[in-house]
Each structure stands twice: as structure tokens, then as C-alpha cells.
Amino acid sequence: MLAHLKALTAGVAIAGALAAPTAQAQEAKTIGLAVANLQADFFNQIKQSVEKEAEAKDIEVITVDAAGDSANQVSQIQDLITRDVDAIIYIPAGATAASVPVQAAKEAGIPVVAVDRNPPDAPADTFIATDSVAAAEELGKFVCERSGGTGRLAEIQGQIGTTPQIDRDEGFAKAMANCPGIEEVARQASNMWMQDEGFNIAQAMIQRDPEITIFWGQADALALGAAQAAAVGALTDVIVVGFDGDIAGLEAVKAGTLTATMTQQTQLMGRLALESAIKLADGEEVPALQLQPATLTTQENVDPFITEHP
């Protein structure tokens, strides 16, 4: 009888061991990652971080790239919803129609993690981004100090209506309000935050006002375009600052092409995005707002960021 009980117990243990992998497989999650534009290093860094973290956790990630097209992104996210993903990490391709994917996902019972941009009329379950207001204000204070408090400022904005464009406008303006010796003489928005746009916009600004002494590009790509235009226009002693801490931007800071940038924690934001998506899929609560600091980056402190991006 005792031998029979031992055999029965062993059989139950073996059955449980065999069933365990099946249960784990059933619990495995699939996360949709909808990226605005993989041509931008900033978004690529987040994608790489999400996918690396997912691999470590045995999570499947389905990545789609809108290539800057909001309408295309709406269709892509509808496809992710149809594929019944457990959660969606969403980087809106623009302000236009940005709320549509969030509304559609919520109707399907799928939680949404927004990164970098959050539709104001349909916010995601959590929003992960740099505190762009504080960061842009810090950058503006640096410009005021570096310029000696005087100069002629030209600003190249990001895509109008997006969260970073609005917040960076606000933060930099706060700093300029306390630096009355700097006069804003030009301001124009880009459509895609791209370097060629920065170059064309800055070149036109220089043609209208060759006395510009400061360029503020709301992304490193825009600032790099402005720096190129300043070189072509033979402007000397021009302060050019950007925002993002892209690899190209960091290398330009090291070379002295850009005076400074604000380095965002893209790797951290990617990890937080995946962790938040998993928690939401499991029914756990996460903070509605998860803002991260950025680091003012100049030639003095750029090297560690080039070696390992935060």
C-alpha cells in the first residue's frame, strides 16, 4: 500500500512538472510596439531597449513603423488590435489622429502605454517621457549664460501640436523670460523633426537676418541642420543647441558642431514602457505620468553618453 502511494505521488509530481511549461506558455504575452518613425535615432533607441528587455523576459514584441504617417499608424494599430495583443506601446506619429488608436485600443480592452507623445484628448493608461518643460528651461538658462545674456535667437520647432513641441516651447520660453537681452528674431516649425528641414528653415532665416547668433533646434536633427546652414552662411561664433541626445547629436557636441543638447534616457524609457505594458496587461496599476529627467550635455560631459546611452 505504501509503495502504491509513493508511486501515485511521484506520478502527480511528474504530471505537474510536465504541465508547468504549458501554463507558462499560456501566460506568455505579446506586446505591440507602434513607433512613429524609425528613421529617427531617438525612436530606434526606444525600440532597441523594448526588444532587448522583452527578449530577456521571453515576451513577444510586434513592432510596426508608421514612417511619420499618422493615417498609416492608425491602420497599423488596428491590425495589432485584431491580432489581440496584450498591450500596446504607442509613440504617436503626429498630433493628427493621435487619439484614434488609443480610443480603439480601449474599446477592445487593450491597455496603452504612450511614450514621448500623449494625445491630450485621449490619454493613454500611462505616459512615459522626458520632463521636457524642465529640461528645455535648463537648456535655455545655459544659453543665457553662454551668450552673456545677449543675442539674436532663431527657434526651429518640432512638429506642431505634439507633446514635446509644446513642452519644449514652454520650458525654453520660461528661461528666455528671465533673459531679456536675448531677442527672438525668427521662429518656424518643422513637419518631421528632420535634419534637412532644419537646414532649409535655418538657411531661410539667415537670408532674412544674417545677424542671428543663437539657433535653438527642438531636436538634435533640427539643430544639426541649423549648424550646417550656419556654416554655409559663414556665420561665426553661433551658439547652436538641440534636444534628444541622439548619437549624431552627441558626436556633434563632442566635435563642437553643437554647443549643447539635452540627453534623454531612451534606454530607461524603453524598459519602463515594457514593464508598464506587462503590469497593465496583468491588471496592475501604474502611475498615469512617468516623467524622467534629461541631462544638459556639453563637451565637458558628453563622452560617457557616447560610450553607453542612458
Side-chain angles (χ1 to χ4, degrees):
M1 181 68 178
L2 182 59
H4 175 72
L5 287 174
K6 286 181 178 179
L8 181 62
T9 302
V12 170
I14 292 169
L18 292 173
T22 304
Q24 288 176 355
Q26 290 173 347
E27 292 171 5
K29 292 180 173 54
T30 300
I31 306 297
L33 173 60
V35 183
N37 190 350
L38 286 177
Q39 290 185 44
D41 180 64
F42 173 77
F43 299 134
N44 253 314
Q45 292 252 2
I46 292 173
K47 169 185 175 289
Q48 291 165 12
S49 177
V50 169
E51 292 178 345
K52 180 179 179 181
E53 188 74 6
E55 184 178 0
K57 295 179 181 295
D58 198 25
I59 300 289
E60 180 184 3
V61 175
I62 301 172
T63 301
V64 292
D65 175 18
D69 187 330
S70 295
N72 186 36
Q73 190 169 55
V74 170
S75 298
Q76 290 174 335
I77 291 184
Q78 188 57 59
D79 180 61
L80 291 174
I81 292 169
T82 301
R83 296 172 73 167
D84 197 27
V85 296
D86 294 288
I88 293 172
I89 299 171
Y90 176 39
I91 307 175
T96 305
S99 62
V100 175
V102 178
Q103 293 166 342
K106 287 187 175 181
E107 287 173 6
I110 298 173
V112 179
V113 176
V115 180
D116 188 55
R117 308 168 181 183
N118 199 22
D121 52 342
D125 295 282
T126 185
F127 176 46
I128 298 168
T130 294
D131 187 345
S132 285
V133 175
E137 183 175 8
E138 182 179 2
L139 183 63
K141 289 177 179 177
F142 167 83
V143 168
C144 187
E145 293 171 4
R146 178 60 66 95
S147 66
T150 61
R152 297 175 68 77
L153 168 68
E155 179 173 346
I156 305 175
Q157 299 164 288
Q159 194 174 19
I160 292 294
T162 57
T163 310
Q165 175 270 313
I166 293 169
D167 289 352
R168 291 170 197 179
D169 262 1
E170 180 183 343
F172 204 84
K174 283 184 178 181
M176 292 301 99
N178 295 312
C179 195
I182 293 180
E183 178 188 2
E184 184 181 292
V185 296
R187 173 189 292 232
Q188 186 175 331
S190 65
N191 293 316
M192 295 282 289
W193 306 80
M194 303 297 283
Q195 184 169 339
D196 59 346
E197 290 182 292
F199 174 78
N200 292 332
I201 291 170
Q203 194 170 52
M205 288 174 168
I206 292 167
Q207 289 172 354
R208 291 191 297 268
D209 186 347
E211 303 302 318
I212 291 171
T213 59
I214 304 166
F215 277 104
W216 152 224
Q218 289 188 348
D220 283 348
L222 297 173
L224 285 167
Q228 183 184 5
V232 170
L235 271 62
T236 58
D237 299 323
V238 179
I239 294 171
V240 185
V241 295
F243 199 112
D244 281 339
D246 289 345
I247 295 303
L250 294 172
E251 290 175 346
V253 168
K254 183 177 177 65
T257 306
L258 296 186
T259 312
T261 188
M262 297 301 298
T263 301
Q264 302 192 77
Q265 299 183 77
T266 49
Q267 297 296 312
L268 172 62
M269 287 193 282
R271 293 193 299 272
L272 281 176
L274 185 70
E275 290 169 7
S276 297
I278 293 169
K279 286 181 180 179
L280 288 167
D282 285 336
E284 298 180 37
E285 292 187 2
V286 298
L289 187 62
Q290 302 185 65
L291 294 182
Q292 310 303 317
T295 303
L296 176 66
T297 308
T298 64
Q299 280 185 319
E300 286 71 31
N301 66 338
V302 70
D303 285 338
F305 295 122
I306 293 174
T307 303
E308 184 176 358
H309 207 280

